[in-house]
């Protein structure tokens, strides 16, 4: 650290320089995040100093958090929703704002673990959960942090979790299942209703990872059943900082029953509230304000238009790619395309090196993974396909 402070001018000219190294989402087809909506940015600024880690000091920001959880609960068909005041959560559905899908997934599984322990269910040493093979790598963190074995069920030919495989992996030490509503690599939705049936039959918990799909599925022309409408779904992760167009970090975790949150409770004797249910201590109230503002501003209609736009780009990309002889692995369910191309790793490398396109690769099978986000345009799609044609022709 320098001994004497630098001038504002020096600092900001350095920052501007460094910022030019960032992509600004130009030619980015690999990200599940995008430019936050300007309304979200403005609201974020107003609440920049607020800390939801000490709710009593920031009653206003906390009110916004409650309202966001209320709107998300409504979107996800919860009966009634409440955010904990730090003492207890009285109504039937509870939730809080997290830093994103990773924290929501960790807390959901921690909730299962604590809940099972509190119930006094007789279990062996090594608890486990069953997740689809397509699960996000945040579940590897769960395994590592909590000493819970994460069993991976195979996928069917459409990259949905295979229910038979899940069933075969359940044993007496299984505490819960995970289904994904919009998986990271293929944008596929697992059969949540079937998973929920298994959950109820085996007295387990079911966490739905809708980090990406939560702001997509409800706005599709033919939405899937994936939320609290399905009996057996115990918790849902949904990220406003992905297709919700809010600022980073904005995630949310909702539980069907307050008892899950209670099981996450830690006493906070010297704060303005007596307990905390969150993983992090200090939390941004700015994220709550940003998410509140953009959800109110867009309404269902705005999000429907956003999803329609991304789905139109997706359809265009698939249609034109087919004309070039490239088939998608599955008919896209949401705005994620996995494209079968020869030598995907090399194609990816060349697309970046020669044409500045950022794309990613699915693990199994290896294919080109493209996410069509609000920052992409119809012209992007056309240019990308021309460049893809050139790159593949020369391989
Ligand atoms: N669950 C699902 C289904 C996800 O797709 C993701 C992230 C998470 C959980 C974890 O969310 P957080 O990263 O918010 O904790 N999916 C993207 C991924 O890992 C996130 C991402 C976003 C990656 C933008 C790159 C990027 O540029 O691929």
């Amino acid at each position: 650290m320098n001994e004497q402070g630098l001038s504002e001018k020096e600092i900001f000219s350095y920052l501007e320089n460094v910022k030019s190294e960032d992509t600004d989402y130009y030619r980015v087809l690999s990200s599940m995040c995008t430019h936050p909506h300007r309304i979200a940015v403005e609201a974020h600024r107003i609440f920049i100093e607020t800390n939801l880690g000490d709710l009593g000091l920031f009653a206003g920001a906390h009110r916004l958090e409650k309202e966001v959880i209320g709107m998300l609960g409504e979107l996800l068909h919860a009966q009634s929703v409440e955010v904990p005041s730090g003492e207890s959560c009285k109504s039937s559905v509870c939730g809080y704002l997290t830093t994103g899908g990773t924290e929501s997934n960790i807390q959901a599984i921690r909730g299962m673990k604590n809940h099972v322990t509190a119930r006094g269910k007789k279990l062996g040493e090594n608890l486990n959960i069953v997740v689809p093979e397509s699960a996000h790598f945040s579940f590897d963190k769960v395994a590592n942090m909590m000493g819970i074995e994460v069993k991976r069920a195979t996928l069917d030919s459409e990259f949905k979790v295979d229910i038979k495989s899940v069933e075969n992996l359940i044993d007496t030490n299984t505490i819960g299942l995970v289904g994904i509503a919009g998986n990271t690599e293929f944008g596929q939705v697992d059969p949540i209703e079937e998973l929920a049936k298994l959950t109820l039959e085996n007295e387990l918990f079911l966490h739905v990872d809708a980090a990406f799909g939560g702001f997509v599925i409800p706005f599709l022309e033919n939405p899937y059943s994936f939320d609290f409408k399905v009996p057996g779904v115990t918790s849902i992760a949904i990220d406003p900082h992905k297709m919700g167009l809010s600022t980073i970090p904005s995630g949310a975790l909702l539980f069907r029953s307050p008892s899950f949150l209670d099981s996450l409770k830690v006493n906070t004797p010297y704060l303005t509230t007596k307990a905390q249910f969150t993983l992090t201590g200090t939390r941004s109230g700015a994220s709550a304000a940003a998410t509140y503002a953009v959800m109110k501003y867009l309404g269902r209609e705005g999000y429907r238009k956003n999803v329609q736009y991304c789905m139109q780009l997706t359809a265009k990309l698939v249609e034109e790619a087919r004309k070039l002889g490239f088939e998608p692995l599955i008919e896209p369910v949401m705005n994620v395309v996995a494209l079968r191309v020869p030598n995907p790793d090399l194609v990816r490398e060349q697309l970046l090196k020669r044409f500045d396109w950022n794309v990613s690769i699915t693990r199994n099978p290896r294919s080109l993974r493209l996410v069509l986000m609000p920052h992409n345009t119809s012209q992007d799609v056309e240019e990308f396909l021309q460049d893809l044609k050139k790159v593949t022709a020369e391989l």
Side-chain angles (χ1 to χ4, degrees), residues 31-33 100-102 105 136-137 182 184 209 211 239 241-242 369:
S31 176
M32 290 185 144
C33 293
T102 300
N105 288 341
H136 185 258
F137 51 78
T184 312
D209 180 354
D239 280 358
H241 69 203
K242 294 189 168 77
R369 171 182 173 265

Side-chain angles (χ1 to χ4, degrees), residues 74-364:
E74 207 184 296
L75 183 69
L76 301 174
H77 297 104
Q79 294 295 309
S80 58
V81 192
E82 189 159 315
V83 73
S85 61
E87 314 231 334
S88 72
C89 177
K90 295 175 200 77
S91 76
S92 70
V93 175
C94 288
Y96 78 92
L97 296 183
T98 67
T99 50
T102 300
E103 182 185 337
S104 300
N105 288 341
I106 291 170
Q107 285 283 84
I109 306 306
R110 194 177 146 227
M112 285 182 190
K113 185 184 171 192
N114 291 354
H115 207 275
V116 164
T117 315
R119 260 193 200 170
K121 193 175 167 186
K122 286 225 177 324
L123 293 161
E125 295 269 296
N126 305 310
L127 304 182
N128 68 65
I129 54 170
V130 181
V131 310
E133 226 169 47
S134 53
H136 185 258
F137 51 78
S138 42
F139 291 98
D140 296 335
K141 300 180 186 177
V142 167
N144 185 258
M145 285 171 74
M146 277 180 262
I148 288 179
E149 187 191 352
V150 176
K151 296 185 174 191
R152 294 184 181 270
T154 54
L155 307 182
D156 65 15
S157 59
E158 291 193 297
F159 303 97
K160 293 181 195 173
V161 75
D162 186 299
I163 289 292
K164 272 269 152 283
S165 172
V166 175
E167 206 169 353
N168 290 337
L169 289 173
I170 295 173
D171 62 24
T172 51
N173 283 336
T174 304
I175 57 171
L177 309 180
V178 172
I180 312 177
N183 61 35
T184 312
E185 290 172 288
F186 311 101
Q188 183 58 280
V189 181
D190 287 324
I192 302 298
E193 279 170 326
E194 290 176 56
L195 284 172
K197 240 178 94 194
L198 266 187
T199 304
L200 293 171
E201 280 165 16
N202 293 281
E203 292 185 36
L204 300 171
F205 304 113
L206 175 59
H207 173 61
V208 175
D209 180 354
F212 186 70
F215 272 97
V216 179
I217 302 169
F219 306 110
L220 290 172
E221 268 171 42
N222 299 305
Y224 293 70
S225 290
F226 77 105
D227 60 19
F228 290 118
K229 222 192 222 173
V230 182
V233 170
T234 35
S235 56
I236 303 180
I238 174 170
D239 280 358
H241 69 203
K242 294 189 168 77
M243 285 289 282
L245 308 179
S246 188
T247 54
I248 296 172
S250 297
L253 174 63
L254 275 78
F255 287 111
R256 185 187 287 275
S257 149
S259 56
F260 281 95
L261 262 178
D262 277 340
S263 73
L264 295 173
K265 193 155 110 181
V266 170
N267 291 333
T268 50
Y270 54 83
L271 292 187
T272 49
T273 47
K274 290 190 183 132
Q276 213 171 65
F277 304 82
T278 54
L279 186 61
T280 60
T282 300
R283 289 189 298 141
S284 162
S287 296
T291 305
Y292 173 86
V294 67
M295 287 186 76
K296 281 285 180 195
Y297 185 79
L298 291 178
R300 284 177 192 259
E301 190 191 20
Y303 282 115
R304 203 171 298 121
K305 281 189 185 148
N306 186 50
V307 168
Q308 263 166 11
Y309 173 79
C310 296
M311 290 309 286
Q312 273 161 10
L313 288 185
T314 306
K316 180 180 167 106
L317 187 132
V318 169
E319 196 186 319
E320 300 295 321
R322 279 199 163 112
K323 289 185 195 156
L324 300 177
F326 305 124
E327 281 294 316
L329 287 183
I330 53 164
E331 238 13 90
V333 169
M334 46 188 77
N335 44 331
V336 181
V337 182
L339 211 55
R340 242 183 249 280
V341 299
N343 229 327
D345 292 272
L346 209 55
V347 169
R348 176 198 197 184
E349 195 185 295
Q350 289 295 310
L351 281 168
L352 182 62
K353 210 169 174 179
R354 292 179 52 193
F355 301 106
D356 231 6
W357 290 109
N358 286 276
V359 300
S360 55
I361 302 283
T362 59
R363 288 169 293 183
N364 183 26

Side-chain angles (χ1 to χ4, degrees), residues 25-40:
Y25 293 113
Y26 173 68
R27 294 204 161 191
V28 173
L29 287 167
S30 57
S31 176
M32 290 185 144
C33 293
T34 190
H35 294 287
H37 196 285
R38 70 178 168 83
I39 296 287

Side-chain angles (χ1 to χ4, degrees), residues 34-77:
T34 190
H35 294 287
H37 196 285
R38 70 178 168 83
I39 296 287
V41 175
E42 196 45 44
H44 192 106
R45 277 204 191 104
I46 297 172
F47 281 79
I48 197 79
E49 80 287 3
T50 61
N51 173 16
L52 291 174
D54 201 356
L55 302 176
L57 290 187
F58 298 102
H62 184 44
R63 181 199 298 273
L64 294 179
E65 178 181 32
K66 287 189 204 175
E67 295 201 32
V68 169
I69 293 295
M71 287 190 277
L72 291 174
E74 207 184 296
L75 183 69
L76 301 174
H77 297 104

